[in-house]
Amino acid sequence: MGGPRVLVVDDADELGRVAADLVSDTIALAPAASVIPATGRTPMKLYAYLAARRDAGLLDTSEVIAVQLDEYLGLADGDRRSLFGWMERSFLEPLGITGERVIRLPLDGDLDDACAAYDRDRDVRGPVDLAILGIGENGHLGFNEPPCGPDAVTRPVVLTPTTISANAGYWGSGADVPTRAVTMGMRHLLAARTILLLVSGRSKRRIVHRALEDDIGPDVPASFLREAEGDVTVVVDRAAWGAE
């Protein structure tokens, strides 16, 4: 392990283009790649560039498998806040990924048992080929809220006030943000063959430096990317990378 490779780009648009090159190269080498696509604002330009390449016949996604990263709990079908719905609109539909090529997280029944069964299935399937991730202002990956170690399993979680505040911008107010979710665990995220961390905006400046430069530990779950098994690339815009 040589540690993450850091690519500093000018702005969010260049971040999307550079990330699209990296994702396209991964899919070209492994057409049936399994991909975890994070939601949030930062990866949206990446997904738009991928869709444009597919539409132009420059990217074949006909075998790509999508693996859900996280989801709020307690939502009715069709709820506007569904993270699966967001993934569907921004990634699945534009790239033509449907049916058995979509692996969803368990949301019903005994969630502890269901998540344990999900992890056993992931162990059988092996590591995902590509995890596209963002970083929370508290250092979370997915909804692996701090403190969280590298062996954390897929599980239901209670969202922190920091995460609820950050997510309020998507849905209207803090009162509109569900307080519980299911997230893929750090164990499977860190085992991905390739990890692409996208970071954009001044609000992420402090946490990205903590994750990449300070001590590795559960207070900043993203810091464990420095010990990940696979290849890790961080694409960060200048607003997020600028001097502390």
Side-chain angles (χ1 to χ4, degrees):
M1 297 182 297
R5 175 176 61 145
V6 179
L7 304 178
V8 182
V9 299
D10 285 337
D11 53 30
D13 190 68
E14 186 180 3
L15 183 150
R17 292 197 305 271
V18 169
D21 288 341
L22 297 172
V23 174
S24 296
D25 288 347
T26 296
I27 294 173
L29 290 171
S34 51
V35 179
I36 299 172
T39 52
R41 292 191 180 93
T42 302
M44 292 302 110
K45 288 185 179 291
L46 159 62
Y47 301 156
Y49 276 115
L50 292 177
R53 293 183 185 193
R54 176 179 180 265
D55 291 346
L58 302 175
L59 178 65
D60 181 3
T61 58
S62 62
E63 298 180 63
V64 170
I65 297 166
V67 183
Q68 189 178 12
L69 173 61
D70 48 24
E71 180 61 286
Y72 297 124
L73 285 171
L75 301 182
D77 289 345
D79 192 295
R80 66 186 178 89
R81 297 166 294 178
S82 168
L83 298 181
F84 181 81
W86 192 346
M87 181 175 77
E88 195 169 38
R89 294 185 297 273
S90 64
F91 187 81
L92 301 180
E93 291 177 353
L95 297 182
I97 302 171
T98 60
E100 69 280 359
R101 291 193 290 126
V102 180
I103 300 173
R104 301 185 65 167
L105 289 166
L107 299 176
D108 301 313
D110 184 320
L111 286 177
D112 290 333
D113 285 350
C115 288
Y118 176 90
D119 275 354
R120 289 194 294 271
D121 181 65
R122 282 249 53 90
D123 289 336
V124 171
R125 293 175 183 268
V128 296
D129 294 296
L130 172 63
I132 302 169
L133 303 174
I135 184 173
E137 292 180 19
N138 61 3
H140 71 213
L141 299 176
F143 280 140
N144 288 282
E145 302 278 52
C148 179
D151 295 327
V153 297
T154 302
R155 67 205 183 282
V157 296
V158 176
L159 302 183
T160 64
T162 298
T163 295
I164 291 171
S165 177
N167 282 205
Y170 303 142
W171 316 119
S173 73
D176 294 311
V177 181
T179 59
R180 298 180 67 245
V182 169
T183 186
M184 180 179 282
M186 292 288 291
R187 181 166 71 87
H188 286 300
L189 293 181
L190 295 174
R193 293 187 174 94
T194 299
I195 298 172
L196 180 59
L197 180 69
L198 307 180
V199 191
S200 179
R202 187 180 179 87
S203 67
K204 301 294 179 69
R205 184 176 295 179
R206 181 172 178 270
I207 196 61
V208 72
H209 283 281
R210 285 187 66 194
L212 295 177
E213 298 166 4
D214 288 357
D215 292 341
I216 298 172
D219 287 346
V220 181
S223 66
F224 289 110
L225 290 173
R226 288 148 61 191
E227 297 179 337
E229 299 174 20
D231 177 73
V232 180
T233 298
V234 180
V235 186
V236 53
D237 68 15
R238 295 193 184 279
W241 191 250
E244 290 275 35

